[in-house]
């Protein structure tokens, strides 16, 4: 795959992915069980819809909460009495224990790493399969699927690691609605908050490859 250097979007996506790919193997004061519970709550309670799956934030919907969230008491106070666009989360909807677990999750997300050091970017393996060490999934064992690494670097932050959706709509099963050429057209002429990724950082070939990957998402 060609290098798409110089794109701020790609750098932001890489940062998100770096956070995504390394958190399960971090050692941290909070227990892995709490962190995992916090990740699940962050999804279930809809925080991810505005703050991004990895707390990376989005200009359109909400600020970044990770990797350095506000202190736990401040987070508790904030969700009970938010200042702006954010909805109120009462204790019936979100207990203090829930907030604490979400805080553990957000605090467990590490700062970014160079994208090239992340094995997942090179083989398109889903995060959902659990902790992954870079040695167990090297690029020599798993030759990259065409388009998978382009997807991971440019699309996954909004459409989800496995196309499950997030800021952008789910792409799983998209072949029932779109053909590859339609997906290419959506990338070339995006609507809504989806950014222009063509002709830079993605080349025409990259667009074909990533569309071919997206259409295969099941
Ligand atoms: C509908 C969108 C939306 C949802 C859902 C949402 N937030 Fe927010 N959040 C925002 C926005 C927008 C802000 C920025 C200030 C404001 O407008 O309230 C914010 C601010 C915050 C802040 C303050 C950040 C800072 O740097 O001061 C915290 C903490 C926070 N949100 C946590 C959460 C948690 C935890 C959840 C889930 C339980 C959540 N938010 C769900 C939109 C959302
Ligand atoms: C910053 C977030 C973001 C990024 C990055 C992004 N998208 Fe999107 N995408 C969206 C949003 C939001 C929509 C919905 C647009 C709308 O509502 O008009 C969308 C829509 C789409 C659609 C149409 C889905 C449908 O059901 O109609 C496709 C296909 C798509 N994106 C593919 C991609 C691919 C492939 C990439 C990477 C090359 C990508 N997107 C990168 C946010 C993003």
């Amino acid at each position: 795959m060609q290098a798409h250097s110089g794109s701020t979007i790609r750098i932001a996506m890489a940062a998100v992915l770096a956070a995504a790919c390394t958190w399960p193997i971090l050692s941290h004061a909070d227990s892995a069980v709490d962190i995992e519970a916090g990740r699940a709550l962050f999804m279930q309670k809809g925080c991810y819809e505005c703050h991004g799956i990895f707390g990376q934030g989005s200009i359109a919907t909400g600020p970044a909460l990770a990797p350095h969230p506000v202190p736990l008491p401040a987070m508790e106070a904030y969700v009970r009495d938010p200042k702006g666009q954010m909805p109120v989360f009462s204790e019936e909807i979100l207990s203090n224990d829930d907030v604490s677990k979400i805080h553990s999750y957000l605090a467990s997300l590490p700062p970014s790493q160079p994208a090239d050091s992340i094995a997942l970017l090179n083989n398109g393996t889903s995060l959902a399969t659990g902790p992954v060490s870079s040695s167990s999934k090297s690029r020599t064992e798993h030759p990259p699927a065409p388009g998978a690494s382009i997807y991971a670097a440019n699309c996954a932050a909004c459409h989800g690691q496995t196309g499950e959706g997030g800021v952008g709509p789910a792409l799983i099963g998209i072949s029932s609605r779109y053909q590859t050429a339609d997906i290419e057209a959506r990338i070339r002429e995006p609507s809504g908050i989806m950014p222009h990724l063509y002709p830079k950082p993605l080349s025409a070939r990259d667009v074909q490859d990533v569309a071919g990957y997206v259409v295969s998402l099941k």
Side-chain angles (χ1 to χ4, degrees):
M1 178 189 136
Q2 82 185 63
H4 306 300
S5 57
S7 156
T8 46
I9 289 194
R10 182 168 182 275
I11 291 163
M13 300 301 150
V16 165
L17 282 159
C21 295
T22 49
W23 72 264
I25 52 174
L26 267 197
S27 64
H28 191 273
D30 293 313
S31 84
V33 173
D34 280 2
I35 291 170
E36 178 50 32
R39 191 195 62 79
L41 285 161
F42 195 74
M43 302 302 292
Q44 280 160 22
K45 304 292 178 179
C47 316
Y48 83 95
E49 288 176 22
C50 298
H51 293 288
I53 297 177
F54 305 107
Q56 76 272 21
S58 154
I59 299 163
T61 52
L65 302 177
H68 301 295
V70 295
L72 178 57
M75 183 171 286
E76 264 172 28
Y78 195 87
V79 300
R80 305 292 179 229
D81 185 18
K83 299 295 170 235
Q85 303 297 308
M86 181 164 140
V88 175
F89 289 85
S90 68
E91 269 196 77
E92 292 84 75
I93 301 171
L94 189 75
S95 69
N96 281 347
D97 187 50
D98 290 345
V99 179
S100 165
K101 286 177 173 142
I102 287 175
H103 192 271
S104 299
Y105 166 59
L106 294 169
S108 77
L109 294 167
S112 62
Q113 287 184 342
D116 290 353
S117 69
I118 302 166
L120 285 176
L121 281 183
N122 299 315
N123 61 26
T125 306
S126 162
L127 265 183
T129 54
V132 176
S133 77
S134 49
S135 57
S136 69
K137 303 251 181 184
S138 77
R139 74 172 79 182
T140 46
E141 286 167 33
H142 297 271
S149 56
I150 301 172
Y151 180 86
N154 296 280
C155 324
C158 292
H159 291 284
Q161 296 295 316
T162 56
E164 74 274 18
V167 173
L171 301 177
I172 291 171
I174 196 169
S175 62
S176 66
R177 285 173 286 144
Y178 290 130
Q179 306 201 320
T180 312
D182 305 321
I183 297 172
E184 286 181 36
R186 294 302 297 257
I187 301 168
R188 290 215 176 83
E189 287 152 39
S191 61
I193 62 159
M194 178 156 151
H196 285 267
L197 298 166
Y198 171 84
K200 271 177 178 289
L202 301 185
S203 67
R205 177 65 200 272
D206 292 337
V207 171
Q208 280 175 11
D209 284 352
V210 76
Y213 174 73
V214 166
V215 83
S216 75
L217 291 171
K218 294 274 184 307

